[in-house]
Amino acid sequence: MDLGLAGKVAVVTGASVGIGLAVSEGFAAEGASVVMAARGADRLAAEAGRIAAERGVETLALACDVATAAGCAELVARTTERFGGADVLVNNAGSGSNETIQEAPDEKWQAYWDLHVMAAVRLARGFVPTMRARGGGVVLHNASICAVQPLSYEPIYNVTKAALMMFSKTLSTEVVGDGIRVNCINPGLVLTPDWVKTAKQLTADSGGDWQAHLDGVAREHAANGRFATPAEVADFMVFLCSERASYSVGSTYPVDGGMLRGV
Ligand code: NDP
């Protein structure tokens, strides 16, 4: 299937590892230029350089903090300077949390709000005009199953991801007339290096069988009993950003191995 992404410019936040890195690889494999954003410059530059060399596409590694207005402004400005704007924006940068509502301070709520919601707001304000000028575009948000099926240990994550899902729907109606499609996905368990690191930490004092720990997590939560690979989720995301998904507008799609217990 030709996804029609060759020659397009795709911006991916949180692109240095995990799902965002796999999405960047996916766009590059389709012949798109990829602007890769994350805070840590070294890892990002290494991955962007590797992808450009392996796939023969242009990549731009842009070290910035998308949880800040200045970081978002820089991402928009540098992308516009280099490519004249973007055809695709994937708001992927995000992070799990761990707290109780009773104990978490205002600052922690604000930090996650800035990362999960304001980054999407600010980047929409920045990139939508460039998409309009190019005759259309795609915005895809990466929320989480926790947006609709909360995990008790991370209330701030649940709430801010639910807000991102609603932002996605609302933005979609505002820009659909400009030929810009906006959607959202809710992944379940995705086996990123961070999950492995956490599993190793949690099992360090009890024999170190981190794989058994992860298998247990997967059996407990996912109907199909396993984690997704980042590439499995990325394939779906790249498809949603392509012309082959042209009738998908304003929706949120679970990609969760059956983890969602409702319909
Ligand atoms: P990882 O922790 O593996 O990677 C996160 C990426 O985001 C890194 O590139 C990180 O780089 C970057 N990042 C984090 N904060 C910022 C910031 N303020 N500004 C710019 N870049 C930032 O994440 P995952 O791949 O696991 O998750 C990606 C998205 O998918 C997240 O939104 C997450 O909530 C969601 N998700 C993940 C699931 C999973 O099981 N893995 C399940 C459901 C949803 P750096 O630290 O250098 O900035």
Side-chain angles (χ1 to χ4, degrees), residues 13-21 37-41 43-44 64-68 91-96 115-116 142-146 157 161 164 185-195 227 230:
T13 69
S16 60
V17 68
I19 299 169
L21 177 58
R39 290 165 304 177
R43 179 169 62 173
L44 184 68
C64 64
D65 182 350
V66 297
T68 67
N91 285 301
N92 168 76
S95 181
L115 175 59
H116 291 155
N142 187 357
S144 166
I145 188 169
C146 293
Y157 185 75
K161 288 294 192 172
L164 177 62
I185 63 152
N186 284 346
L189 303 172
V190 187
L191 193 54
T192 56
D194 204 47
W195 267 104
F227 279 73

Side-chain angles (χ1 to χ4, degrees), residues 139-188:
V139 181
L140 180 62
H141 299 100
N142 187 357
S144 166
I145 188 169
C146 293
V148 292
Q149 182 169 283
L151 284 168
S152 59
Y153 62 82
E154 49 185 355
I156 296 181
Y157 185 75
N158 300 330
V159 171
T160 52
K161 288 294 192 172
L164 177 62
M165 193 175 140
M166 179 55 82
F167 171 73
S168 184
K169 179 67 181 173
T170 309
L171 177 66
S172 78
T173 56
E174 186 169 308
V175 299
V176 67
D178 298 312
I180 301 171
R181 294 186 303 108
V182 184
N183 287 293
C184 182
I185 63 152
N186 284 346

Side-chain angles (χ1 to χ4, degrees), residues 1-5 181 238-248:
M1 192 190 300
D2 178 10
L3 296 185
L5 287 165
R181 294 186 303 108
V238 171
F239 168 77
L240 273 181
C241 294
S242 80
E243 288 169 12
R244 300 282 81 79
S246 51
Y247 207 65
S248 295

